[in-house]
Amino acid sequence: MILVGSMFWGMTGPITEWLLVHAVMTSSFMLAVRLIIAGTLILAFLKIRKEPVFAIWKEATWRRQLLIFSIVGMLGLQYSFVLTIQESNAVVATLLQFLAPIFIVIYLSIRQKSLPPKSQVIGITGTLFGLFLLLTNGSMTSLLFSEKALYWGLIVGITYAFYTLYPVRLMNKWGVLTVVAWGMILSGVYSALIGRIWATDEWALLKDPTILWLMFALIVIGSAAFILFLNSMKYISAIETSVLSSFEPVTAMVISVIWLQMTLHIWQLTGIVLMLIFVAYLSIAGKK
């Protein structure tokens, strides 16, 4: 489940990149259509299983937490991820979300008023060095990507950390899929309002069979990936989940090289390997 789910997640990055570049689709339109339909599909799946999908709206405390999660966690993560792809590529965006454990360590250290253990400092240092190689190919004087790409990539890491930490109580009470499905629908609605998609001529893009099928794949593969990813956690530990989820950027990289003709230099590949190794090490050190 985790391997297939991670590879599915990895596929969504290059598909998103193709739609942004070749179909000239705006991020607001893509996110609105994708998130609303995907969230509705997951709610329908839960309804078939006779889950109480509307009960979460009955108490003000849970409503407030759900709204915060949908704006900061879901929309913040999705929007910054798409903008990072737009400013760089799918591989860089996918890897930058792996900075989330670093922000989690920093947040917990501030909250607990103590420095992180040496093992986590090693994990953070190694991950950042790998990121440096990815973004510069080892050059001390220039970035291979724009500063805007790095800015949005850091936002991806921060919002992913928020996405991981904030909704724990909410998900424990109402279930992960219920919270995520509503988060998708709400963030999709916000995106639709931001982009005023009812007034756009981008709907005509969906008449193109290639674009329509890619949007369909993006919605279905993304939804399936999330369900597989979450269900795998019933059977394996958080460490195993974290390590095996490294198949996500690997899949994005293989598809980008073959399909999108992306070129990676030797020090960039070294940086990718280092990031994956040290993120896995950081997860293991965090568990200890």
Side-chain angles (χ1 to χ4, degrees):
M1 284 181 179
I2 185 61
L3 288 174
V4 175
S6 294
M7 287 189 284
F8 277 3
W9 274 125
M11 291 177 192
T12 63
I15 293 173
T16 299
E17 183 177 343
W18 191 94
L19 288 169
L20 289 169
V21 175
H22 296 279
V24 199
M25 188 178 287
T26 63
S27 52
S28 296
F29 181 82
M30 182 194 301
L31 286 174
V33 174
R34 175 189 174 186
L35 292 172
I36 291 171
I37 295 176
T40 303
L41 286 174
I42 295 174
L43 278 187
F45 169 75
L46 292 171
K47 198 68 179 170
I48 290 169
R49 289 172 50 179
K50 302 190 185 308
E51 299 279 349
V53 295
F54 295 102
I56 192 171
W57 291 101
K58 292 180 179 177
E59 294 183 37
T61 301
W62 302 118
R63 283 200 303 271
R64 184 171 61 254
Q65 288 186 32
L66 180 59
L67 289 170
I68 293 171
F69 168 69
S70 65
I71 295 171
V72 183
M74 182 66 72
L75 183 63
L77 174 59
Q78 297 287 343
Y79 204 75
S80 58
F81 182 72
V82 171
L83 287 175
T84 306
I85 292 176
Q86 200 167 294
E87 296 295 333
S88 55
N89 58 52
V91 175
V92 171
T94 304
L95 282 164
L96 285 171
Q97 75 182 3
F98 276 65
L99 293 177
I102 294 177
F103 292 112
I104 290 172
V105 168
I106 293 169
Y107 167 75
L108 292 176
S109 297
I110 293 171
R111 186 177 177 182
Q112 296 169 3
K113 297 179 180 177
S114 63
L115 293 173
K118 185 165 64 175
S119 58
Q120 290 186 341
V121 174
I122 293 170
I124 290 171
T125 305
T127 304
L128 291 176
F129 181 64
L131 177 63
F132 166 77
L133 293 178
L134 172 67
L135 296 178
T136 65
N137 194 40
S139 170
M140 297 293 289
T141 58
S142 62
L143 284 171
L144 295 181
F145 305 100
S146 67
E147 291 180 6
K148 196 178 287 186
L150 181 58
Y151 167 78
W152 283 114
L154 291 174
I155 299 296
V156 170
I158 292 168
T159 52
Y160 194 29
F162 181 89
Y163 180 97
T164 304
L165 291 174
Y166 180 79
V168 171
R169 287 180 62 245
L170 197 61
M171 290 177 172
N172 286 341
K173 174 69 176 176
W174 299 105
V176 177
L177 285 181
T178 299
V179 173
V180 168
W182 280 116
M184 283 180 167
I185 291 172
L186 290 170
S187 58
V189 170
Y190 303 144
S191 190
L193 293 171
I194 292 168
R196 295 174 55 83
I197 67 167
W198 60 87
T200 182
D201 56 3
E202 288 179 81
W203 292 103
L205 292 173
L206 300 180
K207 293 178 182 177
D208 184 320
T210 302
I211 294 173
L212 183 62
W213 275 109
L214 285 173
M215 279 296 290
F216 177 77
L218 194 61
I219 292 163
V220 173
I221 290 172
S223 301
F226 201 88
I227 292 169
L228 287 167
F229 186 90
L230 293 169
N231 278 294
S232 72
M233 297 174 75
K234 296 177 183 176
Y235 306 102
I236 58 177
S237 70
I239 292 174
E240 290 165 325
T241 302
S242 178
V243 172
L244 293 174
S245 66
S246 63
F247 274 79
E248 180 185 344
V250 172
T251 303
M253 181 172 64
V254 171
I255 293 173
S256 294
V257 169
I258 295 172
W259 182 34
L260 302 177
Q261 306 297 306
M262 186 189 73
T263 302
L264 286 168
H265 304 289
I266 185 65
W267 285 112
Q268 285 184 289
L269 289 168
T270 304
I272 289 170
V273 172
L274 284 174
M275 283 189 75
L276 296 179
I277 289 171
F278 280 102
V279 164
Y281 175 75
L282 191 58
S283 300
I284 294 167
K287 183 69 175 178
K288 287 181 178 178

